Amino acid sequence: MTVTTEFVKITPKASQEVTKLVKAENNPEIGLRLAVKGGGCSGLSYDLSFTPKEDGDTIIQHDEFNVFMDAKSMIYLKGMQLDYQDLPCQFHNNRDI
C-alpha cells in the first residue's frame, strides 16, 4: 500500500537529515522506518530506524527516500510530523497515543 506524503509530514530540515543518513547506508533498499512500539511511560513509544521494506509495509515515497510503516503503527502515526533540530529527531503528534 502506498499513501501520500500528507499521512506523515516530514519537515524540510528532517528530510535533509534523513536523506543524508539514508545515502550513507549506500543501499538503495534502505528507507526510513517509522513505528510505534510497546514501552515508555504511556505504554507506547515512537521508533525510528533505517531498514529495507518488510512484507506488509505501507510505503510513503518522500523526496529521495521511502518511509516504511507497519499496519499496526499507522493508526498512531497518521498526522504526525517528524522534525529535526540539530538534536535527535523529534516527533510531533497532536493526538494522544
Side-chain angles (χ1 to χ4, degrees):
M1 172 193 250
T2 302
V3 296
T4 69
T5 56
E6 294 301 311
F7 191 88
V8 172
K9 294 180 177 137
I10 301 175
T11 66
K13 194 161 185 181
S15 179
Q16 182 180 23
E17 185 66 16
V18 170
T19 298
K20 180 177 81 174
L21 294 169
V22 168
K23 284 183 177 182
E25 293 288 329
N26 201 25
N27 180 344
E29 302 295 317
I30 297 292
L32 174 65
R33 177 167 301 283
L34 298 177
V36 175
K37 301 202 175 202
C41 296
S42 69
L44 297 171
S45 62
Y46 291 109
D47 185 57
L48 172 120
S49 58
F50 298 96
T51 68
K53 179 186 174 298
E54 296 177 5
D55 288 340
D57 277 350
T58 294
I59 303 167
I60 297 176
Q61 296 170 333
H62 184 83
D63 294 337
E64 298 183 49
F65 60 90
N66 287 324
V67 177
F68 306 129
M69 295 176 290
D70 64 83
K72 291 178 188 175
S73 295
M74 288 184 67
I75 297 165
Y76 303 105
L77 293 171
K78 184 176 182 179
M80 187 221 36
Q81 175 178 290
L82 180 65
D83 193 13
Y84 182 83
Q85 302 196 4
D86 299 324
L87 297 169
C89 288
Q90 299 177 359
F91 293 91
H92 299 281
N93 194 336
N94 293 331
R95 301 173 28 194
D96 291 333
I97 65 167

Coordinates of all heavy atoms in Angstrom, one line a residue:
M1 N 0.8 -1.2 0.0 CA 0.0 0.0 0.0 C 0.9 1.2 0.0 O 1.9 1.3 0.7 CB -0.9 0.0 1.3 CG -1.7 1.3 1.4 SD -2.4 1.4 3.1 CE -4.1 1.2 2.7
T2 N 0.5 2.2 -0.8 CA 1.3 3.5 -0.8 C 0.3 4.6 -0.4 O -0.8 4.6 -0.9 CB 1.8 3.7 -2.2 OG1 2.7 2.7 -2.6 CG2 2.6 5.0 -2.3
V3 N 0.7 5.5 0.4 CA -0.1 6.6 0.8 C 0.7 7.9 0.5 O 1.8 7.9 0.2 CB -0.5 6.6 2.3 CG1 -1.3 5.4 2.7 CG2 0.8 6.6 3.2
T4 N 0.0 9.0 0.6 CA 0.6 10.3 0.2 C 1.5 10.8 1.3 O 1.4 10.4 2.5 CB -0.4 11.4 -0.1 OG1 -1.1 11.7 1.1 CG2 -1.4 10.9 -1.1
T5 N 2.3 11.8 1.0 CA 3.2 12.4 2.0 C 2.5 13.2 3.0 O 3.1 13.6 4.0 CB 4.2 13.4 1.3 OG1 3.5 14.3 0.5 CG2 5.2 12.6 0.4
E6 N 1.2 13.4 2.9 CA 0.4 14.1 3.9 C 0.1 13.2 5.1 O -0.3 13.7 6.1 CB -0.9 14.7 3.3 CG -0.7 15.8 2.2 CD 0.1 17.0 2.8 OE1 -0.3 17.5 3.9 OE2 1.1 17.4 2.2
F7 N 0.2 11.9 4.9 CA -0.1 11.0 6.0 C 0.8 11.2 7.2 O 0.4 11.3 8.3 CB 0.0 9.6 5.5 CG -0.5 8.5 6.5 CD1 -1.8 8.2 6.4 CD2 0.3 8.0 7.4 CE1 -2.3 7.2 7.3 CE2 -0.2 7.0 8.3 CZ -1.5 6.7 8.3
V8 N 2.1 11.4 6.9 CA 3.1 11.7 7.9 C 3.9 12.9 7.3 O 4.5 12.8 6.2 CB 4.1 10.6 8.2 CG1 5.2 11.0 9.0 CG2 3.4 9.4 8.9
K9 N 3.9 14.0 8.0 CA 4.7 15.2 7.5 C 6.1 15.1 8.0 O 6.4 14.9 9.1 CB 4.0 16.4 7.9 CG 2.6 16.6 7.3 CD 1.9 17.8 7.7 CE 0.6 17.8 7.0 NZ -0.6 18.2 7.8
I10 N 7.0 15.4 7.1 CA 8.4 15.5 7.4 C 8.9 16.9 7.0 O 8.8 17.3 5.9 CB 9.2 14.4 6.6 CG1 8.7 13.0 7.0 CG2 10.7 14.5 7.0 CD1 9.3 11.8 6.3
T11 N 9.4 17.6 8.0 CA 9.8 19.0 7.8 C 11.0 19.0 6.8 O 11.7 18.0 6.7 CB 10.2 19.7 9.1 OG1 11.4 19.1 9.6 CG2 9.1 19.7 10.1
P12 N 11.3 20.1 6.1 CA 12.4 20.1 5.2 C 13.8 19.8 5.9 O 14.6 19.1 5.3 CB 12.4 21.6 4.7 CG 11.0 22.0 4.8 CD 10.5 21.3 6.0
K13 N 14.0 20.3 7.1 CA 15.2 20.0 7.8 C 15.3 18.5 8.2 O 16.4 17.9 8.0 CB 15.3 20.9 9.1 CG 16.7 20.9 9.7 CD 16.9 22.0 10.6 CE 18.4 22.0 11.0 NZ 18.7 23.1 12.0
A14 N 14.3 17.9 8.6 CA 14.3 16.5 8.9 C 14.5 15.7 7.6 O 15.2 14.7 7.6 CB 13.0 16.0 9.5
S15 N 13.9 16.1 6.5 CA 14.0 15.4 5.2 C 15.5 15.5 4.8 O 16.0 14.5 4.3 CB 13.1 16.1 4.2 OG 13.3 15.5 2.9
Q16 N 16.1 16.6 5.0 CA 17.5 16.8 4.6 C 18.4 15.8 5.4 O 19.3 15.2 4.8 CB 18.0 18.2 4.8 CG 19.4 18.5 4.4 CD 19.7 20.0 4.7 OE1 19.1 20.7 5.5 NE2 20.7 20.5 4.0
E17 N 18.2 15.7 6.7 CA 19.0 14.8 7.5 C 18.7 13.4 7.2 O 19.6 12.6 7.2 CB 18.7 15.1 9.0 CG 19.5 14.4 10.0 CD 21.0 14.8 10.0 OE1 21.3 15.8 9.4 OE2 21.8 14.0 10.5
V18 N 17.5 13.0 7.0 CA 17.1 11.6 6.7 C 17.8 11.3 5.3 O 18.3 10.2 5.2 CB 15.6 11.4 6.7 CG1 15.3 10.0 6.1 CG2 15.1 11.5 8.1
T19 N 17.7 12.1 4.4 CA 18.3 11.9 3.1 C 19.8 11.6 3.2 O 20.3 10.6 2.6 CB 18.1 13.1 2.1 OG1 16.7 13.2 1.9 CG2 18.8 12.9 0.8
K20 N 20.5 12.4 4.0 CA 21.9 12.2 4.3 C 22.2 10.9 4.9 O 23.1 10.2 4.5 CB 22.4 13.4 5.2 CG 23.9 13.3 5.5 CD 24.3 14.5 6.3 CE 24.0 14.2 7.8 NZ 24.5 15.2 8.7
L21 N 21.4 10.5 5.9 CA 21.6 9.2 6.6 C 21.3 8.0 5.7 O 22.0 7.0 5.8 CB 20.8 9.2 7.9 CG 21.2 10.2 8.9 CD1 20.2 10.3 10.1 CD2 22.6 9.9 9.5
V22 N 20.2 8.1 4.9 CA 19.9 7.0 4.0 C 21.0 6.8 3.0 O 21.4 5.7 2.7 CB 18.5 7.2 3.4 CG1 18.3 6.3 2.2 CG2 17.4 7.1 4.4
K23 N 21.5 7.9 2.4 CA 22.5 7.8 1.4 C 23.8 7.2 2.0 O 24.5 6.5 1.3 CB 22.8 9.2 0.8 CG 21.8 9.6 -0.2 CD 22.1 11.0 -0.8 CE 21.1 11.3 -1.9 NZ 21.4 12.6 -2.5
A24 N 24.1 7.5 3.3 CA 25.3 7.0 3.9 C 25.2 5.5 4.1 O 26.2 4.8 4.2 CB 25.4 7.6 5.3
E25 N 24.0 4.9 4.0 CA 23.8 3.4 4.1 C 24.3 2.8 2.8 O 24.6 1.6 2.8 CB 22.4 3.1 4.4 CG 21.9 3.5 5.8 CD 22.5 2.6 6.9 OE1 22.7 1.4 6.6 OE2 22.6 3.2 8.0
N26 N 24.3 3.5 1.7 CA 24.8 3.0 0.4 C 24.1 1.8 0.0 O 24.7 0.8 -0.5 CB 26.4 2.8 0.5 CG 27.0 2.8 -0.9 OD1 26.4 3.4 -1.8 ND2 28.1 2.2 -1.0
N27 N 22.8 1.7 0.2 CA 22.0 0.6 -0.1 C 20.6 1.1 -0.6 O 19.9 1.7 0.2 CB 21.8 -0.3 1.1 CG 20.9 -1.5 0.8 OD1 20.2 -1.6 -0.2 ND2 21.0 -2.5 1.6
P28 N 20.3 1.0 -1.9 CA 19.0 1.6 -2.4 C 17.8 0.9 -1.8 O 16.7 1.5 -2.0 CB 19.1 1.3 -3.9 CG 20.1 0.1 -4.0 CD 21.0 0.2 -2.9
E29 N 17.9 -0.2 -1.1 CA 16.7 -0.8 -0.5 C 16.4 -0.2 0.9 O 15.3 -0.4 1.4 CB 17.0 -2.3 -0.3 CG 17.3 -3.1 -1.5 CD 16.2 -3.1 -2.5 OE1 15.0 -3.3 -2.0 OE2 16.4 -2.9 -3.7
I30 N 17.3 0.6 1.4 CA 17.1 1.2 2.8 C 16.2 2.4 2.7 O 16.3 3.2 1.9 CB 18.5 1.5 3.4 CG1 19.3 0.3 3.6 CG2 18.3 2.3 4.7 CD1 18.9 -0.7 4.6
G31 N 15.3 2.5 3.7 CA 14.4 3.6 3.9 C 14.3 3.9 5.3 O 14.8 3.2 6.2
L32 N 13.5 4.9 5.6 CA 13.2 5.3 7.0 C 12.0 4.5 7.5 O 10.9 4.6 6.9 CB 12.9 6.8 7.0 CG 12.4 7.4 8.4 CD1 13.5 7.3 9.4 CD2 12.0 8.8 8.2
R33 N 12.2 3.8 8.6 CA 11.1 3.1 9.2 C 10.6 3.9 10.4 O 11.3 4.2 11.3 CB 11.5 1.7 9.7 CG 10.4 0.9 10.4 CD 10.7 -0.5 10.6 NE 10.9 -1.2 9.3 CZ 10.0 -1.5 8.4 NH1 8.7 -1.3 8.7 NH2 10.3 -2.1 7.3
L34 N 9.3 4.2 10.4 CA 8.6 4.8 11.5 C 7.7 3.8 12.1 O 6.9 3.1 11.4 CB 7.8 6.0 11.0 CG 8.6 7.2 10.4 CD1 7.6 8.3 9.9 CD2 9.6 7.7 11.4
A35 N 7.7 3.7 13.4 CA 6.9 2.7 14.1 C 6.5 3.2 15.5 O 7.1 4.1 16.0 CB 7.7 1.4 14.2
V36 N 5.5 2.6 16.0 CA 5.1 2.8 17.4 C 5.2 1.4 18.1 O 4.7 0.4 17.6 CB 3.7 3.3 17.5 CG1 3.2 3.4 19.0 CG2 3.6 4.7 16.8
K37 N 5.9 1.3 19.2 CA 6.2 0.1 19.9 C 5.8 0.2 21.3 O 5.7 1.3 21.9 CB 7.7 -0.3 19.8 CG 8.1 -0.4 18.3 CD 9.4 -1.2 18.2 CE 9.7 -1.3 16.7 NZ 10.5 -2.4 16.4
G38 N 5.5 -1.0 21.9 CA 5.2 -1.0 23.3 C 6.4 -0.5 24.2 O 7.5 -0.8 23.8
G39 N 6.1 0.2 25.3 CA 7.2 0.7 26.1 C 7.0 2.1 26.4 O 6.1 2.8 25.8
G40 N 7.7 2.7 27.3 CA 7.6 4.1 27.6 C 6.6 4.3 28.7 O 5.8 3.4 29.0
C41 N 6.5 5.5 29.2 CA 5.6 5.8 30.3 C 4.1 5.6 29.9 O 3.3 5.2 30.7 CB 5.8 7.3 30.7 SG 7.4 7.6 31.4
S42 N 3.7 5.9 28.7 CA 2.3 5.8 28.3 C 2.0 4.4 27.8 O 0.9 4.2 27.3 CB 2.0 6.8 27.2 OG 2.7 6.5 26.0
G43 N 3.0 3.5 27.7 CA 2.8 2.2 27.2 C 3.2 2.1 25.8 O 3.3 1.0 25.2
L44 N 3.4 3.2 25.1 CA 3.8 3.2 23.7 C 4.9 4.2 23.5 O 5.0 5.2 24.2 CB 2.6 3.6 22.7 CG 1.4 2.6 22.7 CD1 0.3 3.2 22.0 CD2 1.8 1.3 22.2
S45 N 5.8 3.9 22.5 CA 6.8 4.9 22.2 C 7.1 4.9 20.7 O 6.9 3.9 20.0 CB 8.1 4.6 23.0 OG 8.6 3.3 22.6
Y46 N 7.6 6.0 20.2 CA 8.0 6.1 18.8 C 9.3 5.4 18.5 O 10.2 5.4 19.4 CB 8.1 7.5 18.3 CG 6.7 8.2 18.3 CD1 6.4 9.2 19.2 CD2 5.8 8.0 17.3 CE1 5.2 9.9 19.1 CE2 4.6 8.6 17.2 CZ 4.3 9.6 18.1 OH 3.1 10.2 18.1
D47 N 9.4 4.8 17.4 CA 10.7 4.1 17.0 C 11.0 4.6 15.6 O 10.2 4.6 14.7 CB 10.6 2.6 17.1 CG 11.9 1.9 16.8 OD1 12.8 2.2 17.5 OD2 11.9 1.1 15.9
L48 N 12.3 4.9 15.4 CA 12.8 5.4 14.1 C 14.0 4.6 13.8 O 14.9 4.4 14.6 CB 13.1 6.8 14.2 CG 13.8 7.6 13.1 CD1 12.9 8.7 12.7 CD2 15.1 8.2 13.7
S49 N 14.1 4.0 12.6 CA 15.3 3.2 12.2 C 15.4 3.2 10.6 O 14.5 3.7 9.9 CB 15.2 1.7 12.7 OG 14.0 1.1 12.2
F50 N 16.5 2.7 10.1 CA 16.8 2.7 8.7 C 16.9 1.2 8.3 O 17.8 0.5 8.8 CB 18.1 3.4 8.4 CG 17.9 4.9 8.7 CD1 18.4 5.4 9.9 CD2 17.3 5.8 7.8 CE1 18.3 6.7 10.2 CE2 17.2 7.1 8.1 CZ 17.6 7.6 9.3
T51 N 15.9 0.7 7.6 CA 15.8 -0.7 7.2 C 15.3 -0.8 5.8 O 14.7 0.1 5.2 CB 14.8 -1.4 8.2 OG1 13.4 -0.9 7.9 CG2 15.1 -1.2 9.6
P52 N 15.4 -2.0 5.3 CA 14.7 -2.3 4.0 C 13.2 -2.5 4.2 O 12.8 -2.7 5.4 CB 15.3 -3.6 3.5 CG 16.2 -4.1 4.6 CD 16.2 -3.1 5.7
K53 N 12.4 -2.5 3.2 CA 11.0 -2.7 3.2 C 10.7 -4.1 3.7 O 11.5 -5.1 3.4 CB 10.4 -2.5 1.9 CG 8.9 -2.8 1.8 CD 8.4 -2.7 0.4 CE 6.9 -3.1 0.3 NZ 6.7 -4.5 0.7
E54 N 9.7 -4.3 4.5 CA 9.3 -5.6 5.0 C 7.9 -6.0 4.4 O 7.2 -5.1 4.0 CB 9.2 -5.7 6.5 CG 10.6 -5.5 7.2 CD 10.5 -5.4 8.7 OE1 9.4 -5.6 9.3 OE2 11.5 -5.1 9.3
D55 N 7.6 -7.2 4.3 CA 6.3 -7.7 3.8 C 5.2 -7.0 4.6 O 5.2 -6.9 5.8 CB 6.1 -9.2 3.9 CG 7.0 -9.9 2.9 OD1 7.4 -9.3 1.9 OD2 7.2 -11.1 3.2
G56 N 4.2 -6.5 3.9 CA 3.1 -5.8 4.5 C 3.3 -4.4 4.9 O 2.3 -3.7 5.3
D57 N 4.4 -3.8 4.6 CA 4.7 -2.4 4.9 C 3.9 -1.5 4.0 O 3.6 -1.8 2.8 CB 6.2 -2.0 4.7 CG 7.0 -2.4 5.9 OD1 6.5 -2.7 7.0 OD2 8.3 -2.3 5.7
T58 N 3.5 -0.4 4.5 CA 3.0 0.7 3.7 C 4.1 1.6 3.4 O 5.0 1.8 4.2 CB 1.9 1.5 4.5 OG1 0.8 0.7 4.7 CG2 1.5 2.8 3.8
I59 N 4.2 2.2 2.2 CA 5.3 3.0 1.7 C 4.8 4.4 1.4 O 3.8 4.6 0.7 CB 5.9 2.4 0.4 CG1 6.3 0.9 0.7 CG2 7.0 3.2 -0.1 CD1 6.6 0.2 -0.6
I60 N 5.6 5.4 1.9 CA 5.4 6.8 1.5 C 6.6 7.1 0.8 O 7.7 7.1 1.3 CB 5.2 7.7 2.7 CG1 3.9 7.3 3.5 CG2 5.1 9.1 2.3 CD1 3.8 8.1 4.8
Q61 N 6.4 7.5 -0.5 CA 7.6 8.0 -1.3 C 7.8 9.4 -1.0 O 6.9 10.3 -1.3 CB 7.3 7.7 -2.8 CG 7.2 6.3 -3.1 CD 6.7 6.0 -4.5 OE1 6.0 6.8 -5.1 NE2 7.0 4.9 -5.0
H62 N 8.9 9.7 -0.4 CA 9.2 11.1 0.1 C 10.5 11.6 -0.5 O 11.6 11.0 -0.2 CB 9.3 11.2 1.6 CG 9.5 12.5 2.1 ND1 8.4 13.4 2.3 CD2 10.6 13.2 2.5 CE1 8.9 14.6 2.7 NE2 10.2 14.5 2.9
D63 N 10.5 12.6 -1.3 CA 11.7 13.1 -2.0 C 12.7 12.0 -2.4 O 12.4 11.3 -3.3 CB 12.4 14.1 -1.0 CG 11.6 15.4 -0.8 OD1 10.7 15.7 -1.6 OD2 11.8 16.1 0.2
E64 N 13.8 11.9 -1.7 CA 14.9 11.0 -2.1 C 14.9 9.7 -1.3 O 15.9 8.9 -1.4 CB 16.2 11.7 -2.0 CG 16.3 12.9 -3.0 CD 17.7 13.5 -2.9 OE1 18.7 12.8 -3.1 OE2 17.7 14.8 -2.7
F65 N 13.9 9.4 -0.5 CA 13.8 8.2 0.3 C 12.4 7.7 0.4 O 11.5 8.5 0.2 CB 14.5 8.4 1.6 CG 13.9 9.5 2.5 CD1 12.9 9.2 3.3 CD2 14.4 10.8 2.4 CE1 12.3 10.2 4.1 CE2 13.8 11.8 3.2 CZ 12.8 11.5 4.0
N66 N 12.3 6.5 0.8 CA 11.0 5.9 1.2 C 10.8 5.8 2.7 O 11.8 5.6 3.4 CB 10.8 4.5 0.6 CG 10.6 4.5 -0.9 OD1 10.0 5.4 -1.5 ND2 11.2 3.6 -1.6
V67 N 9.6 6.0 3.1 CA 9.2 5.8 4.5 C 8.4 4.5 4.6 O 7.5 4.3 3.8 CB 8.4 7.0 5.1 CG1 7.9 6.8 6.5 CG2 9.2 8.3 4.9
F68 N 8.8 3.6 5.5 CA 8.1 2.4 5.7 C 7.4 2.4 7.0 O 7.9 2.8 8.1 CB 9.1 1.2 5.7 CG 10.0 1.2 4.5 CD1 11.3 1.0 4.6 CD2 9.4 1.2 3.2 CE1 12.1 1.0 3.5 CE2 10.2 1.2 2.1 CZ 11.6 1.1 2.2
M69 N 6.1 1.8 7.0 CA 5.3 1.7 8.3 C 4.6 0.4 8.3 O 4.1 0.0 7.2 CB 4.3 2.9 8.4 CG 4.9 4.2 8.5 SD 3.6 5.5 8.5 CE 3.1 5.4 6.8
D70 N 4.5 -0.2 9.4 CA 3.7 -1.4 9.5 C 2.3 -1.0 9.8 O 2.0 0.1 10.3 CB 4.3 -2.4 10.6 CG 4.2 -1.7 12.0 OD1 3.1 -1.8 12.6 OD2 5.2 -1.2 12.5
A71 N 1.3 -1.9 9.6 CA -0.1 -1.6 9.7 C -0.5 -1.2 11.1 O -1.3 -0.3 11.3 CB -0.9 -2.8 9.2
K72 N 0.1 -1.8 12.1 CA -0.3 -1.5 13.5 C 0.1 -0.1 13.9 O -0.6 0.6 14.6 CB 0.3 -2.5 14.5 CG -0.2 -3.9 14.4 CD 0.5 -4.8 15.4 CE 0.1 -6.2 15.2 NZ 0.8 -7.1 16.0
S73 N 1.3 0.3 13.4 CA 1.8 1.7 13.7 C 1.0 2.8 13.0 O 1.0 3.9 13.5 CB 3.3 1.8 13.4 OG 4.0 0.9 14.2
M74 N 0.5 2.5 11.9 CA -0.2 3.5 11.1 C -1.3 4.2 11.8 O -1.5 5.4 11.6 CB -0.7 2.9 9.8 CG 0.4 2.6 8.8 SD -0.2 2.0 7.2 CE -1.0 3.6 6.6
I75 N -2.0 3.5 12.7 CA -3.1 4.1 13.4 C -2.6 5.3 14.3 O -3.2 6.3 14.4 CB -3.7 3.1 14.4 CG1 -4.3 2.0 13.6 CG2 -4.7 3.7 15.3 CD1 -4.6 0.7 14.4
Y76 N -1.4 5.1 14.8 CA -0.8 6.2 15.7 C 0.0 7.2 15.0 O 0.2 8.3 15.5 CB 0.1 5.5 16.8 CG -0.7 4.4 17.5 CD1 -0.5 3.1 17.3 CD2 -1.6 4.8 18.5 CE1 -1.2 2.1 18.0 CE2 -2.3 3.9 19.2 CZ -2.1 2.5 19.0 OH -2.8 1.6 19.7
L77 N 0.5 6.9 13.8 CA 1.4 7.8 13.1 C 0.6 8.8 12.2 O 1.2 9.8 11.8 CB 2.4 7.0 12.2 CG 3.4 6.2 13.0 CD1 4.2 5.3 12.1 CD2 4.3 7.1 13.8
K78 N -0.6 8.5 11.9 CA -1.4 9.4 11.0 C -1.4 10.8 11.5 O -1.8 11.0 12.7 CB -2.8 8.9 10.8 CG -3.6 9.7 9.8 CD -4.9 9.1 9.5 CE -5.6 10.0 8.5 NZ -6.9 9.5 8.2
G79 N -1.0 11.8 10.7 CA -1.0 13.2 11.1 C 0.2 13.6 11.9 O 0.4 14.8 12.2
M80 N 1.2 12.7 12.1 CA 2.4 13.0 12.9 C 3.3 13.8 12.0 O 3.3 13.8 10.8 CB 3.1 11.7 13.3 CG 4.2 12.0 14.2 SD 5.7 11.0 13.9 CE 5.9 10.8 12.2
Q81 N 4.1 14.6 12.6 CA 5.2 15.4 12.0 C 6.5 15.0 12.5 O 6.7 15.0 13.7 CB 4.9 16.9 12.1 CG 6.1 17.8 11.5 CD 5.8 19.2 11.7 OE1 4.9 19.7 11.0 NE2 6.5 19.9 12.5
L82 N 7.5 14.8 11.7 CA 8.8 14.5 12.1 C 9.7 15.7 11.8 O 9.7 16.2 10.7 CB 9.4 13.3 11.3 CG 10.8 12.8 11.6 CD1 10.9 12.3 13.0 CD2 11.3 11.8 10.6
D83 N 10.4 16.1 12.8 CA 11.2 17.3 12.7 C 12.6 17.0 13.2 O 12.9 16.0 13.9 CB 10.6 18.5 13.5 CG 11.3 19.8 13.2 OD1 12.0 19.9 12.2 OD2 11.0 20.8 14.0
Y84 N 13.6 17.8 12.7 CA 15.0 17.7 13.2 C 15.5 19.0 13.5 O 15.4 20.0 12.8 CB 15.8 17.1 12.0 CG 17.3 16.8 12.4 CD1 17.7 15.7 13.1 CD2 18.3 17.8 12.1 CE1 19.0 15.5 13.5 CE2 19.6 17.6 12.5 CZ 19.9 16.4 13.1 OH 21.2 16.2 13.5
Q85 N 16.1 19.1 14.7 CA 16.6 20.4 15.2 C 18.0 20.3 15.8 O 18.2 20.7 16.9 CB 15.6 21.0 16.2 CG 14.2 21.1 15.6 CD 13.3 22.0 16.4 OE1 13.7 22.6 17.4 NE2 12.1 22.1 16.0
D86 N 18.9 19.8 15.1 CA 20.3 19.6 15.5 C 20.4 18.8 16.8 O 21.5 18.8 17.4 CB 21.0 21.0 15.7 CG 21.0 21.8 14.4 OD1 21.2 21.1 13.3 OD2 20.9 23.0 14.4
L87 N 19.4 18.1 17.1 CA 19.4 17.1 18.2 C 18.7 15.9 17.6 O 18.4 15.9 16.4 CB 18.6 17.6 19.4 CG 19.1 18.9 20.1 CD1 18.1 19.4 21.0 CD2 20.4 18.5 20.8
P88 N 18.5 14.8 18.3 CA 17.8 13.7 17.7 C 16.5 14.2 17.1 O 15.9 15.2 17.5 CB 17.6 12.8 18.8 CG 18.7 13.1 19.8 CD 18.9 14.6 19.7
C89 N 16.0 13.4 16.1 CA 14.7 13.8 15.5 C 13.6 13.9 16.6 O 13.6 13.2 17.6 CB 14.3 12.7 14.5 SG 15.3 12.8 13.0
Q90 N 12.6 14.7 16.3 CA 11.5 14.9 17.3 C 10.2 14.6 16.6 O 10.0 14.9 15.4 CB 11.5 16.3 17.7 CG 12.7 16.8 18.5 CD 12.7 18.2 18.9 OE1 11.7 18.9 18.6 NE2 13.7 18.7 19.6
F91 N 9.4 13.9 17.3 CA 8.1 13.5 16.8 C 7.1 14.5 17.4 O 7.1 14.8 18.5 CB 7.6 12.1 17.2 CG 8.4 11.0 16.6 CD1 9.6 10.6 17.3 CD2 8.1 10.5 15.4 CE1 10.3 9.5 16.7 CE2 8.8 9.4 14.9 CZ 9.9 9.0 15.5
H92 N 6.2 15.0 16.5 CA 5.1 15.9 17.0 C 3.8 15.3 16.6 O 3.6 15.1 15.4 CB 5.2 17.3 16.4 CG 6.5 18.0 16.7 ND1 6.8 18.6 17.9 CD2 7.7 18.1 16.0 CE1 8.0 19.1 17.9 NE2 8.6 18.8 16.8
N93 N 3.0 15.1 17.5 CA 1.7 14.5 17.2 C 0.6 15.1 18.2 O 0.8 15.0 19.4 CB 1.7 12.9 17.4 CG 0.5 12.2 16.8 OD1 -0.5 12.8 16.6 ND2 0.7 11.0 16.5
N94 N -0.4 15.7 17.6 CA -1.4 16.3 18.4 C -2.4 15.3 19.0 O -3.2 15.7 19.8 CB -2.2 17.3 17.5 CG -1.3 18.5 17.2 OD1 -0.4 18.9 17.9 ND2 -1.6 19.1 16.0
R95 N -2.2 14.1 18.6 CA -3.1 13.0 19.1 C -2.4 12.3 20.2 O -1.2 12.1 20.2 CB -3.5 12.0 18.0 CG -4.1 12.6 16.8 CD -4.3 11.7 15.7 NE -4.4 10.3 16.1 CZ -4.3 9.3 15.3 NH1 -4.1 9.4 14.1 NH2 -4.4 8.1 15.8
D96 N -3.1 11.8 21.2 CA -2.6 11.0 22.2 C -2.4 9.6 21.7 O -3.2 9.1 21.0 CB -3.5 10.9 23.5 CG -3.6 12.2 24.2 OD1 -2.7 13.0 24.1 OD2 -4.7 12.5 24.8
I97 N -1.2 9.0 22.1 CA -1.0 7.6 21.7 C -1.0 6.7 22.9 O -0.9 7.1 24.0 CB 0.2 7.4 20.9 CG1 1.5 7.7 21.7 CG2 0.2 8.2 19.6 CD1 2.8 7.2 21.0

